[in-house]
Amino acid sequence: PGPSSVTTWSFEPPQPTVAVICGSGLGLLADGATGKQTFRYQDIPNFPVSTVMGHEGCLVFGTIEDTSCVFMQGHFHLYEGYSLCQVTLPVRIFKLMGVESVLVTNASGGLCPDFKVGDIMIIKDHINLPGFAGQHPLCGPNDERFGIRFPCMSDAYSKDLRRLALDVGSELGCGDFMREGVYCMVSGPNFETIAEARMLQILGCDSVGMSMVPEVTVAKHCGLRVLGLSLITNKVSLDYSREEKVNHEEVLQISKMRAEVLQKLVTMLISRCQQQNINTN
Ligand SMILES: O=P(O)(O)O[C@H]1O[C@H](CO)[C@@H](O)[C@H]1O
């Protein structure tokens, strides 16, 4: 945003109860909120800055109906050189601000043969591949103020919120391109080789991306409710004869194409959540 729309630190934001983390090219998700106040990451002490195209690098406070929200226009990745502690810092800040639910969005490549480009996948589970190799945001001394040493991850994604997302999606006429599936995080920054993609498919992954899992893990650790939505921006090559080559420009182009629909979905979801007072798993 231009300097005129950026707020100075004299502003006291209302306590948000919902945080929306916007994935690649999805910063527009904040458009459904009113009374917006924007802060650039670079102006927030000790906050990382976004280095990837399609991640504006702004924290936006606003309201959807009566729900006070904070939107992260751009999130952080291991491949940018950030530690997982830095990648997940915003989630802990949200917890301290009083946030109760986190809605995480991202762009990913489809591995499930039934998925099409432009599908919205409601995440039901994930595979933390970097975590298997010790790249895990909860490694190190456990901070008991946030959560327990050995958190359960089998129910990281709220069932109620997933059901609500499906209902709202079909109400908005998105039923034909809404799916459910398992997201796998890889560190990136390269897109997968064909052998890697085949391995991930055999492991039960429906889509693959380079983000989100650290934030979700830290959110679950500190007791936040999580909904994950992944936009399928490309089909991952599983065949050596396939000519198409994936690239980040294509990812951003598909995100742009679906941003408006996703924004309506997210806005309606947040207002429904409040109406139905969803507060269980
Ligand atoms: O997960 P987000 O940041 O939405 O974006 C996905 O798209 C980028 C690659 O095109 C990577 O950052 C990958 O993780």
Side-chain angles (χ1 to χ4, degrees), residues 22-26 52-53 55 74-77 79-80 105-109 183 186-187 189 191 208-212 230 233-234 246-252 255:
C22 309
S24 284
L26 296 172
V52 188
M53 234 189 0
H55 294 255
H75 54 165
F76 309 112
H77 307 82
Y79 65 72
E80 292 176 84
T105 61
N106 62 46
S108 66
Y183 174 93
V186 292
S187 75
F191 292 105
V208 55
M210 308 168 195
S211 72
M212 191 201 72
S230 191
T233 52
N234 55 286
V246 60
N247 60 70
H248 188 56
E249 288 66 40
E250 174 194 355
V251 167
L252 293 181
S255 298

Side-chain angles (χ1 to χ4, degrees), residues 23-24 75-77 79 104-112 115 121-130 157 180-188 192 200 203-216 228-233:
S24 284
H75 54 165
F76 309 112
H77 307 82
Y79 65 72
V104 194
T105 61
N106 62 46
S108 66
L111 289 161
C112 172
F115 286 3
M121 181 180 92
I122 299 169
I123 299 170
K124 75 165 181 230
D125 202 351
H126 68 227
I127 292 183
N128 182 1
L129 218 51
Y157 300 87
E180 255 204 327
V182 176
Y183 174 93
C184 179
M185 182 200 176
V186 292
S187 75
E192 299 64 46
L200 296 179
L203 290 180
C205 310
D206 296 303
S207 88
V208 55
M210 308 168 195
S211 72
M212 191 201 72
V213 168
E215 290 102 312
V216 169
L229 298 176
S230 191
L231 175 63
I232 307 298
T233 52

